[in-house]
Amino acid sequence: MRRIWKIGLVVVFGLGLAGCAWLFAPPQAVLTASVTSPLTVQFDLSGSTGDIVSYTLTFGDDSDPAEGFDITMAVVHTYDDPGDYIATLTVQDARGRMDTDSVPITVTAAPAVTAELGAANTVGPAPLVVNFLVKGQAPTGKKIVRWHLDFDDGDPFEQFVNLTTLDTTTTHSYTATGTYTAVLTVEDEDGGTATDSVTITVTSPLPEIMTFSANPQTPFVGAPVTFTFTAKAGDAARKLVKWELRPGDDSNRVTGMSSSSVSPLNVTHVYAGYTQTGSYTATVKVWDDLDNTDELTLDVDVVVTP
């Protein structure tokens, strides 16, 4: 009888342990995450189960892990750089048993202020007046406080503002030949900046015909007309190399050469024959050593001799 009693006691004790097995269930790690701002993530550990006495949360970015024991408290982490990361939660119970769970994290760069610089007529002879289009956009909830436009010729422009969206125009005149890089800088209230640039090419000034006249401008058929004109090169570095006068009728054009300027030059022409009565457009044109040109026209009215 004593042996039977011992066997019964063992069976009862075993059944008791089996009924309490839920008290010693292994821990289970459950990790979820939500991006609360472009670089900041909030981690939720509260879905983990078991008799958890400690946890370790690594963020996948070589920063120090978060450690603790209260899984009901969310963990907030800010990543320094945008990218893809794997965050891993490890939980441990009082019996030393552990479990892990991981989630992928994708963080993006924080919105930044933007700058956009456009320009019309970016290539041309001096003096070149350039029309600049200035645009910028502040990050959400922020304001643009300053924009600065460096024209690259020692004469910058700056304006302080309080705008969410910047959209304006400004003009600038380049007086010297050369290649310039105009740079726009837009700054927000947090000190964040953005830049954009355009290239401006200023060529030599064009030659200029300053005067062009005909005497008389209403001649009789067969009477001489004296055309007089003056011209100059665009600047001291250039020279005129050719001029041409076209009376506007079927006669040959008259040409000549010059090394500096035409000041003044007289050309005589006769509109001959009764068939040449009427209005003619006379043209004078000059070329410089870079093949830049200028030309002027005038009307000559040829009338019948009284």
Side-chain angles (χ1 to χ4, degrees):
M1 290 291 297
R2 183 175 302 175
R3 181 175 300 175
I4 294 174
W5 179 84
K6 287 182 179 180
I7 293 174
L9 182 61
V10 171
V11 170
V12 171
F13 182 74
L15 291 174
L17 287 177
C20 297
W22 63 270
L23 293 175
F24 307 110
Q28 183 179 2
V30 177
L31 179 64
T32 61
S34 59
V35 178
T36 59
S37 73
L39 291 174
T40 302
V41 179
Q42 178 171 294
F43 294 95
D44 184 1
L45 292 56
S46 62
S48 303
T49 59
D51 183 22
I52 297 172
V53 296
S54 67
Y55 72 82
T56 300
L57 176 59
T58 60
F59 305 106
D61 62 352
D62 296 327
S63 63
D64 292 336
E67 297 178 334
F69 58 88
D70 186 357
I71 60 172
T72 65
M73 296 292 292
V75 177
V76 177
H77 180 69
T78 299
Y79 289 85
D80 292 332
D81 301 299
D84 295 320
Y85 303 91
I86 299 295
T88 301
L89 171 67
T90 301
V91 296
Q92 180 174 312
D93 67 6
R95 299 169 67 88
R97 295 174 297 181
M98 295 185 295
D99 190 38
T100 64
D101 189 23
S102 298
V103 293
I105 304 295
T106 298
V107 294
T108 58
V113 63
T114 64
E116 181 181 349
L117 181 62
N121 52 300
T122 57
V123 178
L128 179 64
V129 178
V130 180
N131 300 311
F132 289 98
L133 177 61
V134 176
K135 291 186 176 183
Q137 183 64 49
T140 302
K142 303 296 180 181
K143 291 293 183 68
I144 294 171
V145 296
R146 182 183 72 95
W147 64 274
H148 178 275
L149 184 51
D150 185 351
F151 301 108
D152 198 23
D153 65 351
D155 187 20
F157 179 82
E158 182 174 77
Q159 189 173 49
F160 292 90
V161 295
N162 185 31
L163 299 170
T164 300
T165 301
L166 174 65
D167 189 352
T168 188
T169 59
T170 188
T171 61
H172 182 71
S173 179
Y174 290 89
T175 59
T177 60
T179 300
Y180 303 88
T181 301
V183 179
L184 169 67
T185 301
V186 179
E187 181 179 349
D188 66 21
E189 59 189 277
D190 290 336
T193 61
T195 62
D196 195 19
S197 64
V198 296
T199 299
I200 309 298
T201 302
V202 183
T203 59
S204 293
L206 299 178
E208 179 184 2
I209 299 172
M210 296 173 290
T211 62
F212 182 34
S213 62
N215 185 29
Q217 196 164 344
T218 308
F220 298 118
V221 171
V225 178
T226 301
F227 294 99
T228 302
F229 64 94
T230 59
K232 66 177 181 178
D235 60 25
R238 304 271 67 82
K239 64 180 180 179
L240 299 179
V241 295
K242 180 183 177 182
W243 61 264
E244 177 183 85
L245 176 67
R246 301 191 296 272
D249 57 6
D250 294 331
S251 62
N252 293 328
R253 59 189 65 186
V254 182
T255 62
M257 304 293 290
S258 176
S259 61
S260 56
S261 64
V262 178
S263 182
L265 183 67
N266 299 317
V267 178
T268 300
H269 180 70
V270 175
Y271 293 88
Y274 287 101
T275 59
Q276 286 198 291
T277 57
S279 181
Y280 298 88
T281 299
T283 304
V284 64
K285 186 175 183 179
V286 296
W287 287 259
D288 69 9
D289 54 339
L290 293 179
D291 209 30
N292 296 316
T293 63
D294 188 26
E295 68 178 42
L296 284 180
T297 63
L298 60 82
D299 290 332
V300 178
D301 296 317
V302 181
V303 296
V304 177
T305 303

